[in-house]
Amino acid sequence: MFKLVEERRTWQKVTFPGLTEEGERIDNQIEMQFVLLGSDALVTLMEEAGAITVKAEPEKDDKTLSATMAEFGVKIIRDWKGVAEANEDPIKFSEESLARFFNVPGTFEATLSTYRDAVRGGKDARAGN
């Protein structure tokens, strides 16, 4: 039976490239709990994601790019697993911590790609309604 719920959520593995200190290429992976928005909201959301850009000459009061990405990200992300400080203390999900995460190159793009796959019912989607 399919259930219509207020907020559909799913845990997804987000994989993004990285380098070790020795210069070896690796795939980093965390899990994010996404909110799967409905079709009506999804079009506007994806247009908003596409509009996130770096300004050639930012104004004094402008947010950083990672802060802008995080402001967008909290609309679709509710929680995460596998994100920690250098000393391995887990980092609690928040808009501020998400900005830190999105400051790592490739993480925002990987998150959006995983979200798009989940919304389309990708093969790795695990619904948690």
Side-chain angles (χ1 to χ4, degrees):
M1 174 187 300
F2 179 77
K3 297 178 185 177
L4 290 175
V5 295
E6 280 297 312
E7 188 172 88
R8 295 182 313 133
R9 295 183 182 195
T10 182
W11 281 98
Q12 296 291 292
K13 292 178 181 175
V14 178
T15 304
F16 54 96
L19 293 173
T20 65
E21 289 183 15
E22 294 77 28
E24 179 184 340
R25 293 181 186 272
I26 59 170
D27 284 332
N28 295 297
Q29 189 174 79
I30 68 165
E31 287 188 71
M32 288 185 163
Q33 184 184 46
F34 291 119
V35 174
L36 302 177
L37 298 176
S39 300
D40 296 340
L42 200 55
V43 173
T44 303
L45 185 80
M46 288 300 131
E47 287 174 358
E48 186 179 331
I52 295 174
T53 59
V54 179
K55 292 184 180 179
E57 295 185 28
E59 299 291 323
K60 180 181 175 187
D61 296 333
D62 283 349
K63 294 180 187 167
T64 63
L65 180 60
S66 59
T68 301
M69 290 187 278
E71 185 179 314
F72 170 84
V74 295
K75 295 176 184 179
I76 60 170
I77 303 165
R78 291 295 177 264
D79 202 0
W80 62 16
K81 298 176 187 172
V83 182
E85 298 287 357
N87 66 3
E88 298 189 12
D89 286 345
I91 298 174
K92 185 173 173 62
F93 178 79
S94 68
E95 187 171 333
E96 180 181 300
S97 59
L98 187 58
R100 287 180 60 200
F101 177 73
F102 283 155
N103 197 37
V104 176
T107 55
F108 183 69
E109 294 81 0
T111 300
L112 280 183
S113 177
T114 303
Y115 182 77
R116 285 185 192 110
D117 287 347
V119 167
R120 290 189 288 246
K123 63 180 172 115
D124 294 329
R126 289 186 296 131
N129 295 334

